[in-house]
Amino acid sequence: MTTQPHTSGVERERMAGDQPRSQRSDWNLWGPYLSERQWGTVREDYSADGEAWGYLSHDRARATAYRWGEDGLAGFSDIEQRLCLGLALWNGRDPILKERPFGLTGAEANHGEDVKDYWWYLDAVPSHAWNRWRYHYPQGAFPYEDLRAENGRRGKHDPEYELLDTGAFDEDRYWIVEVHYAKANPTDLLMTIQVTNAGPDPETLHVLPSAWFRNTWSWSPGAPRPELAATGETSVRVSHPSLGELELLAAPGPDGSAPELLFCENETNLQGLYGVAGSTPYPKDGINDHVVTGASTVDPAQRGTKCAAWYRVEVAPGATAEIRLRLRPAGSGADSAAALGPEYEQVFRTRRAEADEFYAELTPAAASPDEAMVMRQAFAGMLWSKQLYYYDVARWLDGDPGQPVPPASRHTGRNSRWRTFNSFDVMSMPDKWEYPWFASWDLAFHCIALAHVDPEFAKDQLLLVCREWFQHPNGALPAYEWDFGDVNPPVQAFAALEVFAIDGGRDLDFLSRIFDKLLVNFTWWVNREDADGSNLFEGGFLGLDNIGPLDRSHLPVGGVLEQSDATGWMAAYALAMTTIAAILNRTGHRPARDLVHKFLEHFAAIRTAMAQQGMWDETDGLFYDRITTPGGGVVPVKVHSMVGIIPMLAVGVIDDQLLERAVAPGKQFAEFLDRQGLRDRESLADAGVLRGDAGRQRLLMGAVGVDQVLRMFSKLFDPDEFLSPYGLRSISAFHRDHPYTLEVEGMRATVDYEPAESTTDMFGGNSNWRGPIWFPLNFLATTAVQRYHRFFGDDLKIEYPTGSGELLALDAVADDLFARLVSIFLVGPDGRRPCFGGVDRLQHDPNWKDNLMFNEYFHGDNGAGLGAAHQTGWTGIVADLIRRRHGSVRSIGDVLRVMGE
């Protein structure tokens, strides 16, 4: 067994994960790189109408060989997804094997696409030398049709109909299935499956750990075909042209009997799906059909490209049975009995202990045990949510040699302008079932969390979306799979600074590399998303989906929507780029003084435009979007939403030295200060934006004036507006009793406060920002509050919450905001976790109550989890919040302060 003795848990993981790619590749060879849903994705859609959900459904997935990736339960694979491992289960009553999670498409469900199985990511370390996964499987027939029918019957105002609601878990008649992966060394992978009968009666579970090759041979004529073949009663030879010769060992079952080895091909069942002869009588669903119906659809010669070890496990009530498998290079190590015996157990003990040590060192001393558990599961979910993302857009558009030609509509349809996009990369996914594809701004928040456990991977991810096979030649960054050309908020520079700080403020090469690529992207924004050169920006929905009354990406009226959030994002982008340039210049890493000036000039122009062109509403104390009509009219969109808060996020501090250099050229930045009446230092100090002793003075740079910020704070921290017990709402509760109606050019649209699921499907029913709490803007708003505190210190106190009469310094405000967010997952004084809402089994059942799901967003009033459920990546940032609020995280401000000393 290979390990790194005499080092701490964190140091061991850093040796495996925090090294240059060439030095860490071995430990990353195997990991959780499978999706949990490959069906219904854009990549697998070859339809004429672009309806991906309908083209390849859940029912067809078990019989269809995927083109661009694989999916499965508890899936592991090599880093190129050549060989995959996963789990199939059968309770003896279902019509199909349980090989992948089941969920409803956007058209089938009352609130958009919605997975229905229950599984959790309980543990993981960056090297994937230890991973733990859990699943609850009903002992009765899985209610597929009931879930479809009842959710289809319900409307937008009804709650979703969940698996727990069907009675499938009544009387505790279900299986608890845990899969643990451990590595003896980088190429020796151990898989333990534990099944517990939670029910009152003895039951039998069919457990089929599976191995299969991603189908690479059908799409490229002449490509070599790998093979799996039985070499004994419980061993399989794995032959692959690039992986080499491996062996998969399966231990006897709990009763001492050997499993039955079953083989088929990872080929589409053409006969079953289309009624035409296929290339094999043993297609992809051959094992399914053989186990469930006894069909002769497995190869009697025991060879193929997909195999399973079929265990029939009888378990008494409350008892647990264990199954062991091991994948390793052929001919290595001890014989099968020894490899699956004491040596195997020693590997598991060691890796589990190392994981415990790793997280013990990451946990702040002041954190409670409950916070420590939340942090560990959040990190585990982030690490489990890696996936090989394979998508060659040009080949997807044109089709593969020897395959049917894609429909002509494809050449002018989805992503047709992104032919240069060509990904074959392991990426952090928002959710490997609901969102098994990257989104560029989601990824930025993933990286802030991942930087705590695997900073090199976090930096690689931020750089990846800027690489030449991702970034469009015109400078745009790809948004997300359904439309690369849509626009996400430009948060990459902000995230790069946060990752840089979390990693110790030392990797200047990383900052320099990403800065160069973001220069191109910033220029794209200026050229393409400011239609009239006014420095007021557009951009469309910008990740905020249903937050307003209009589809901002496809304006239903004439004119241009000038967006307060797009403009605020760009001001923040300019300040972040200023900061990166200043760091590179100050450290001597590269000359960047001119670029500091460039971005300060941009910032000054944007701030001036915001001040002069009417986006601020003095009466309401918020910024508003506005529509400029073809006739020259201007119509403000007066929704109390996070759109009006985003300009506040653009705030930074310029030190004495940089201030002198910035005003020396006498250009736009100096003129901007002149217009504010702030050119001389005395006036700056009188205005409260210049502080400090001579020679060490600092200038507060914000897109929003201090008086405006205080007005916005009053709104933001008002319980009747944005402040909920669990964080900041995306739309103010003011609209609960005061819905907003927009009338423009004969069109009428209304928006109100919806704290839970959306009642509109403007962007799909689960795209809901009309009230719920979501972590990204909470994180950005709270860290902005911290930046204001670092400038003003205890000299500035505000009423918090608004109307309470209590005055707090801004650091105390920020700490309370973080505490509210973290409390969503913690057991409260009433013994309940807010994230579980009113589901009593989740709140109190020992088998459920400590298994956390990190939802996409949370109920605006009670904190219940909503939207995508299985570790939506940006909610994993709660792990950062736990460490940050207990003083274990250095901010970029802290790093800059040290650099200036």
Side-chain angles (χ1 to χ4, degrees):
M1 181 179 73
T2 301
T3 188
Q4 298 87 30
H6 312 303
T7 56
S8 72
V10 171
E11 288 169 337
R12 273 191 292 275
E13 283 304 316
R14 288 286 172 89
M15 292 175 71
D18 186 14
Q19 295 178 349
R21 190 191 307 270
S22 60
Q23 297 178 36
R24 63 192 176 96
S25 58
D26 285 351
W27 278 101
N28 288 274
L29 174 60
W30 295 95
Y33 307 135
L34 267 68
S35 174
E36 275 142 2
R37 177 177 62 82
Q38 185 69 12
W39 63 273
T41 61
V42 166
R43 282 156 289 157
E44 302 296 338
D45 176 22
Y46 285 82
S47 68
D49 58 9
E51 292 295 328
W53 284 106
Y55 181 78
L56 179 51
S57 66
H58 175 270
D59 286 341
R60 296 169 68 90
R62 67 179 179 277
T64 304
Y66 296 128
R67 169 63 180 90
W68 298 99
E70 294 290 337
D71 60 17
L73 294 178
F76 248 56
S77 76
D78 69 279
I79 202 163
E80 294 187 6
Q81 208 178 89
R82 293 160 290 191
L83 177 64
C84 307
L85 299 177
L87 180 64
L89 302 167
W90 189 48
N91 56 23
R93 300 175 177 93
D94 280 347
I96 59 173
L97 296 185
K98 175 60 70 175
E99 294 180 273
R100 55 188 53 81
F102 170 73
L104 304 176
T105 71
E108 291 175 325
N110 58 326
H111 294 295
E113 58 269 23
D114 180 25
V115 71
K116 293 303 183 186
D117 287 273
Y118 293 101
W119 74 96
W120 301 268
Y121 309 118
L122 296 185
D123 213 1
V125 293
S127 66
H128 303 297
W130 174 257
N131 275 53
R132 180 181 168 211
W133 175 96
R134 182 178 175 116
Y135 176 68
H136 289 181
Y137 181 44
Q139 292 175 351
F142 196 95
Y144 292 103
E145 292 310 316
D146 181 29
L147 288 164
R148 282 195 181 100
E150 179 59 21
N151 278 286
R153 185 190 66 78
R154 295 188 179 194
K156 295 292 185 187
H157 294 276
D158 299 317
E160 294 171 351
Y161 183 57
E162 304 293 3
L163 185 56
L164 274 169
D165 299 328
T166 69
F169 296 97
D170 288 358
E171 299 180 311
D172 291 331
R173 295 184 184 277
Y174 65 95
W175 296 98
I176 300 170
V177 181
E178 287 211 7
V179 177
H180 302 171
Y181 288 102
K183 295 179 186 178
N185 62 53
T187 59
D188 190 345
L189 181 64
L190 286 60
M191 178 184 188
T192 297
I193 304 163
Q194 295 176 341
V195 294
T196 300
N197 179 1
D201 301 317
E203 285 284 349
T204 298
L205 180 64
H206 300 254
V207 183
L208 295 99
S210 304
W212 68 99
F213 294 111
R214 177 169 58 86
N215 190 323
T216 56
W217 53 91
S218 293
W219 326 112
S220 300
R225 187 187 188 97
E227 184 181 70
L228 300 164
T231 56
E233 191 177 29
T234 59
S235 60
V236 176
R237 185 186 74 248
V238 180
S239 300
H240 190 280
S242 57
L243 283 174
E245 294 288 315
L246 309 175
E247 60 182 1
L248 179 64
L249 308 177
D255 62 356
S257 61
E260 183 179 353
L261 298 180
L262 306 175
F263 292 79
C264 64
E265 302 291 345
N266 188 12
E267 298 272 15
T268 298
N269 185 346
L270 296 175
Q271 182 66 47
L273 291 175
Y274 308 110
V276 300
S279 60
T280 174
Y282 316 116
K284 178 180 176 179
D285 54 350
I287 293 173
N288 174 89
D289 292 352
H290 178 74
V291 172
V292 174
T293 71
S296 55
T297 49
V298 294
D299 191 341
Q302 291 193 302
R303 61 182 63 244
T305 49
K306 178 181 178 181
C307 74
W310 183 8
Y311 293 87
R312 301 164 179 85
V313 183
E314 296 183 13
V315 187
T320 299
E322 182 173 289
I323 292 167
R324 298 177 178 181
L325 297 97
R326 188 166 188 168
L327 177 70
R328 64 183 186 177
S332 64
D335 62 25
S336 179
L340 295 163
E343 179 186 308
Y344 187 103
E345 293 163 3
Q346 179 59 41
V347 171
F348 265 82
R349 285 194 296 269
T350 299
R351 295 308 182 215
R352 188 194 298 266
E354 289 172 350
D356 290 343
E357 185 181 358
F358 177 72
Y359 282 107
E361 293 181 50
L362 282 172
T363 303
S368 69
D370 204 21
E371 285 179 302
M373 186 191 74
V374 171
M375 185 197 77
R376 185 165 179 169
Q377 287 193 36
F379 280 136
M382 299 298 302
L383 293 168
W384 264 101
S385 294
K386 296 179 183 178
Q387 176 188 321
L388 176 71
Y389 188 74
Y390 181 23
Y391 189 17
D392 179 343
V393 170
R395 192 158 185 176
W396 178 77
L397 291 169
D398 297 338
D400 291 305
Q403 296 293 317
V405 176
S409 59
R410 175 167 300 231
H411 291 280
T412 56
R414 178 176 289 134
N415 296 333
S416 58
R417 296 180 179 271
W418 285 79
R419 295 184 67 89
T420 57
F421 186 95
N422 185 4
S423 172
F424 189 73
D425 300 275
V426 169
M427 301 191 71
S428 175
M429 294 297 154
D431 178 309
K432 291 202 293 185
W433 194 94
E434 301 239 16
Y435 302 119
W437 30 263
F438 77 94
S440 59
W441 88 301
D442 299 48
L443 188 61
F445 294 97
H446 303 191
C447 292
I448 295 170
L450 287 164
H452 294 268
V453 290
D454 195 347
E456 289 304 312
F457 180 70
K459 288 180 280 188
D460 284 350
Q461 293 290 286
L462 287 172
L463 288 166
L464 179 61
V465 294
C466 298
R467 294 303 302 269
E468 53 275 16
W469 58 91
F470 271 68
Q471 189 171 27
H472 197 281
N474 66 15
L477 298 182
Y480 52 94
E481 179 173 289
W482 290 84
D483 186 357
F484 283 150
D486 215 331
V487 184
N488 274 187
V491 292
Q492 284 72 30
F494 167 81
L497 285 167
E498 289 294 325
V499 170
F500 173 75
I502 293 166
D503 189 39
R506 57 193 178 182
D507 194 344
L508 297 169
D509 285 340
F510 159 68
L511 273 191
S512 183
R513 288 182 66 196
I514 200 164
F515 182 73
D516 287 341
K517 302 298 292 221
L518 293 178
L519 275 171
V520 181
N521 178 247
F522 189 94
T523 302
W524 174 85
W525 269 90
V526 171
N527 289 340
R528 298 292 292 271
E529 298 300 329
D530 178 10
D532 59 1
S534 65
N535 289 304
L536 299 179
F537 289 82
E538 297 91 48
F541 91 102
L542 281 177
L544 298 181
D545 293 13
N546 290 336
I547 200 166
L550 302 172
D551 181 342
R552 302 197 306 167
S553 292
H554 307 92
L555 201 64
V557 296
V560 174
L561 180 69
E562 293 174 333
Q563 299 177 210
S564 62
D565 59 334
T567 307
W569 287 126
M570 283 301 291
Y573 198 176
L575 282 181
M577 293 294 278
T578 301
T579 303
I580 295 174
I583 291 171
L584 296 175
N585 190 69
R586 177 177 293 175
T587 58
H589 189 77
R590 60 186 273 190
R593 182 181 301 176
D594 290 348
L595 290 167
V596 172
H597 296 161
K598 166 187 168 63
F599 287 107
L600 282 176
E601 296 288 312
H602 276 293
F603 173 79
I606 294 168
R607 192 189 192 286
T608 299
M610 292 179 68
Q612 293 181 347
Q613 300 192 38
M615 303 190 89
W616 171 255
D617 187 291
E618 183 62 31
T619 302
D620 291 350
L622 292 169
F623 285 87
Y624 290 136
D625 288 356
R626 62 184 208 165
I627 299 172
T628 57
T629 67
V634 176
V635 180
V637 183
K638 293 193 172 187
V639 180
H640 295 203
S641 77
M642 281 292 185
V643 165
I645 300 299
I646 286 170
M648 182 199 75
L649 307 181
V651 60
V653 178
I654 296 178
D655 66 19
D656 205 329
Q657 184 181 42
L658 183 57
L659 176 60
E660 286 291 337
R661 292 174 178 172
V663 300
K667 299 297 183 183
Q668 188 159 263
F669 183 71
E671 293 170 0
F672 156 70
L673 291 178
D674 277 341
R675 284 192 297 272
Q676 306 298 312
L678 302 176
R679 181 64 180 270
D680 62 85
R681 290 179 178 250
E682 184 176 345
S683 60
L684 288 169
D686 289 344
V689 294
L690 185 70
R691 297 169 66 86
D693 299 328
R696 297 180 66 86
Q697 290 183 306
R698 298 171 297 131
L699 174 68
L700 180 69
M701 286 299 301
V704 181
V706 174
D707 290 343
Q708 292 173 322
V709 169
L710 295 177
R711 291 285 311 282
M712 295 170 78
F713 281 171
S714 178
K715 288 279 187 185
L716 200 58
F717 304 141
D718 185 343
D720 293 328
E721 292 254 8
F722 290 96
L723 184 66
S724 93
Y726 304 102
L728 302 174
R729 303 175 173 104
S730 51
I731 286 186
S732 168
F734 169 80
H735 291 303
R736 191 197 315 267
D737 299 321
H738 306 90
Y740 173 71
T741 299
L742 173 69
E743 296 186 12
V744 58
E745 292 198 324
M747 186 214 68
R748 181 183 176 93
T750 299
V751 65
D752 59 7
Y753 172 67
E754 299 179 72
E757 297 290 2
S758 176
T759 59
T760 176
D761 56 4
M762 187 187 301
F763 280 91
N766 68 346
S767 295
N768 178 357
W769 309 129
R770 292 197 165 196
I773 298 150
W774 52 300
F775 272 66
L777 278 184
N778 271 266
F779 181 84
L780 291 170
T782 306
T783 53
V785 170
Q786 289 181 320
R787 289 195 294 278
Y788 282 108
H789 175 74
R790 280 195 289 271
F791 182 78
F792 288 109
D794 290 343
D795 292 342
L796 176 62
K797 295 186 178 182
I798 65 169
E799 186 181 37
Y800 181 87
T802 302
S804 68
E806 184 174 1
L807 297 179
L808 293 181
L810 293 181
D811 61 338
V813 172
D815 184 68
D816 183 73
L817 290 171
F818 280 151
R820 289 175 188 238
L821 291 168
V822 173
S823 75
I824 289 172
F825 299 100
L826 301 177
V827 176
D830 60 355
R832 303 172 71 88
R833 299 186 191 275
C835 60
F836 289 152
V839 184
D840 283 340
R841 185 182 286 268
L842 298 180
Q843 294 287 7
H844 302 300
D845 190 313
N847 288 331
W848 298 72
K849 66 184 182 68
D850 292 329
N851 305 323
L852 302 178
M853 292 182 284
F854 297 85
N855 290 80
E856 184 179 3
Y857 46 84
F858 301 85
H859 193 289
D861 296 334
N862 62 37
L866 301 165
H870 292 85
Q871 184 53 47
T872 294
W874 61 20
T875 301
I877 207 169
V878 68
D880 171 280
L881 303 189
I882 291 170
R883 300 196 75 228
R884 192 175 294 261
R885 67 183 300 262
H886 288 298
S888 296
V889 180
R890 286 208 303 173
S891 70
I892 189 62
D894 297 329
V895 172
L896 291 172
R897 189 175 299 115
V898 171
M899 286 181 175
E901 293 175 350

